[in-house]
Amino acid sequence: MPPGSLGPGRPAGLGGAVVALALTAVWLGPSGAALAHSRPSFATNISASGSKVAIQTTFGLLVGRWTDPTPGSWRWICPQAMGSIDIEDPATFYVDDETLLMPGFNGLTVGTNDACDWLPAAEDLENVPVFSGARSPVDERVAYALTSRPRSSNAVFTTGDGGLTWSPAGTELTGAARYDSVVVAPSDDLRLYVGGSSVSSNPSGMSTAFVFRSEDGGATWTTTSTSMRLGERAFRIRAVDPRDPNHVLASFGSAFSGRLVASTDGGRSFQDVIEVSSIDALQWRPDGDVVVLSGANETGIWRSRDGGLSFLRIREDLHALCLTYIGTELWACGGIDDETQVTRSFDDGETWSPVMVFETDLDVVVPCGADTTVGAICPAAVDELRDDFDLPPLDVGPEDPGPGEDAPDPGANDSGCSSSAPSSFVWLLLLGTFVQRRGWTLS
């Protein structure tokens, strides 16, 4: 991932390099300029439903229409309104055209009213690490959320009403120390996979990867484990073949490389496919013929035309942190140049065209009324983000309070969203606490 970024699926300890990089991320942007929201601005996840698309970034959520992604059409939702911690990269995703789900360290939150209102999903999913979620390929009202409590019981929770109510899908998950990924097979909505791991505290010790497989929608689970290579610290289920529920692609990660593996027996055994600098994104084309892989560092774009059995690098100059097929279009977090933050391809990754440049294509205003979660919380964060993007501050006077009649004073901090940048000392304490509790490292 880019310098200064920490995200789910990056296990292990807190070292001097993390501390130094944390201070850099708090104060410096890509060109050395201070960033008030503490991190360089980049996209981390893309989700679509119907004509809508939601792009998760390091400074909040951008909601628009993938059918018409014109400059100025994007609505910005500040991360504070969604309940997100600033150093997280939650993979927000649509349940249906009207509802968004956001996993995170503080639990699962639900976004409604065109992303203007956000509430905890359920008491059992509040203040609980939820690192991954997935939607049913058959019923858009059905979704799953995976908890990852340290040293405690965990489960896959499910909703059948678009996120209104949640309950455990079935038996608890046991064996792993953390649970990072839940995936539903596109061709069998009852086939679920969960990826977990137990990382050795001894640098020379062997860590263990776990695959949990369910054939009844999460009611019961079969567990398979395998040893990681020395130095590998993360394991994730990446994708399931759209045509074969037993064909699974997964990845192992270390500080220096990412290893892609494949299973044709439902996760019972894996074979090596390719090893690259970093695996941050993998996407199967909906028809199952093409798989595209990408990552940060020097990975580039790799493509498979044989269902993930072999890959060929087709681009060296684009390092996408996420990949998402929307119909036949392949969208990516990243661009050919530093300014372009979202791109798309119409030929499975060979050629790319820009979708969005944050500094020029975003109209950073509060898009919701004052009686909404976003309208009550986000005004305090507007000016700092506009300053990051070199936009003039909003002139919001008493006669024109912006969207909603009683929008808060942009300088107010009653919501906890102060418009001034936090001190490096406070941010370092926060980062140290989260890294230590969650088991992060950089890779």
Side-chain angles (χ1 to χ4, degrees):
M1 299 185 76
S5 105
L6 294 166
R10 307 281 190 185
L14 175 63
V18 175
V19 174
L21 198 54
L23 289 173
T24 302
V26 169
W27 289 109
L28 299 179
S31 61
L35 288 184
H37 66 270
S38 81
R39 300 175 64 192
S41 301
F42 55 89
T44 60
N45 185 71
I46 300 173
S47 175
S49 181
S51 64
K52 293 184 179 180
V53 61
I55 300 174
Q56 190 72 39
T57 75
T58 54
F59 56 88
L61 189 69
L62 306 177
V63 181
R65 297 189 179 275
W66 67 270
T67 51
D68 182 26
T70 54
S73 65
W74 298 94
R75 304 168 64 249
W76 166 70
I77 310 298
C78 70
Q80 298 93 330
M82 299 184 291
S84 171
I85 298 172
D86 192 43
I87 59 174
E88 288 188 81
D89 295 324
T92 305
F93 64 101
Y94 279 101
V95 179
D96 54 39
D97 294 358
E98 305 301 326
T99 307
L100 283 157
L101 300 179
M102 189 192 74
F105 189 84
N106 280 345
L108 185 74
T109 54
V110 180
T112 56
N113 188 21
D114 208 11
C116 285
D117 285 306
W118 294 82
L119 291 171
E123 184 176 351
D124 289 340
L125 293 171
E126 190 173 0
N127 297 319
V128 175
V130 178
F131 296 162
S132 180
R135 185 176 75 174
S136 166
V138 175
D139 186 348
E140 64 180 13
R141 305 284 291 171
V142 175
Y144 301 91
L146 173 65
T147 68
S148 187
R149 300 177 180 91
R151 298 177 296 278
S152 182
S153 61
N154 288 280
V156 170
F157 283 74
T158 185
T159 177
D161 52 18
L164 294 177
T165 59
W166 293 82
S167 61
T171 56
E172 293 181 347
L173 300 172
T174 60
R178 56 179 287 136
Y179 300 84
D180 285 311
S181 50
V182 58
V183 179
V184 186
S187 62
D188 181 357
D189 62 318
L190 296 180
R191 177 70 66 88
L192 272 62
Y193 291 94
V194 166
S197 61
S198 289
V199 177
S200 173
S201 59
N202 184 349
S204 61
M206 300 299 293
S207 301
T208 304
F210 293 85
V211 176
F212 303 86
R213 184 183 67 258
S214 175
E215 299 180 16
D216 51 17
T220 59
W221 298 90
T222 301
T223 308
T224 305
S225 63
T226 185
S227 296
M228 297 184 186
R229 290 180 182 175
L230 189 64
E232 290 181 335
R233 315 290 284 178
F235 174 75
R236 293 182 64 87
I237 304 294
R238 290 289 178 177
V240 181
D241 191 328
R243 300 169 297 192
D244 181 0
N246 290 311
H247 187 189
V248 181
L249 294 179
S251 67
F252 293 89
S254 72
F256 307 103
S257 67
R259 177 166 61 102
L260 186 71
V261 295
S263 173
T264 57
D265 56 10
R268 296 174 179 85
S269 63
F270 286 93
Q271 298 77 44
D272 286 347
V273 176
I274 189 175
E275 190 164 353
V276 293
S277 297
S278 172
I279 298 176
D280 287 293
L282 184 142
Q283 187 73 187
W284 225 306
R285 201 170 70 186
D287 62 12
D289 290 333
V290 172
V291 185
V292 184
L293 177 151
S294 183
N297 303 326
E298 301 302 320
T299 300
I301 302 288
W302 296 73
R303 185 174 63 196
S304 170
R305 292 194 178 278
D306 56 11
L309 299 178
S310 63
F311 283 81
L312 177 68
R313 185 155 73 168
I314 58 175
R315 293 296 295 257
E316 299 182 12
D317 56 345
L318 193 150
H319 310 290
L321 294 178
C322 81
L323 294 167
T324 301
Y325 269 105
I326 308 178
T328 59
E329 299 180 14
L330 180 62
W331 286 49
C333 298
I336 303 300
D337 51 56
D338 292 338
E339 289 74 26
T340 303
Q341 297 294 340
V342 179
T343 52
R344 60 178 169 176
S345 172
F346 298 92
D347 54 13
D348 299 313
E350 275 199 51
T351 60
W352 296 83
S353 57
V355 173
M356 184 188 306
V357 177
F358 292 156
E359 287 80 355
T360 59
D361 294 349
L362 298 185
D363 187 12
V364 182
V365 297
V366 179
C368 308
D371 59 342
T372 66
T373 311
V374 171
I377 293 177
C378 292
V382 170
D383 282 346
E384 72 174 315
L385 186 57
R386 292 183 69 87
D387 182 62
D388 289 346
F389 292 158
D390 293 324
L391 300 173
L394 289 179
D395 183 15
V396 180
E399 300 300 323
D400 182 22
E405 294 182 358
D406 300 313
D409 182 347
N413 59 7
D414 292 341
S415 65
C417 307
S418 171
S419 60
S420 60
S423 70
S424 60
F425 178 72
V426 172
W427 269 107
L428 184 57
L429 286 178
L430 286 172
L431 181 61
T433 300
F434 293 134
V435 169
Q436 189 174 37
R437 289 178 61 185
R438 189 167 173 181
W440 271 328
T441 191
L442 292 172
S443 59

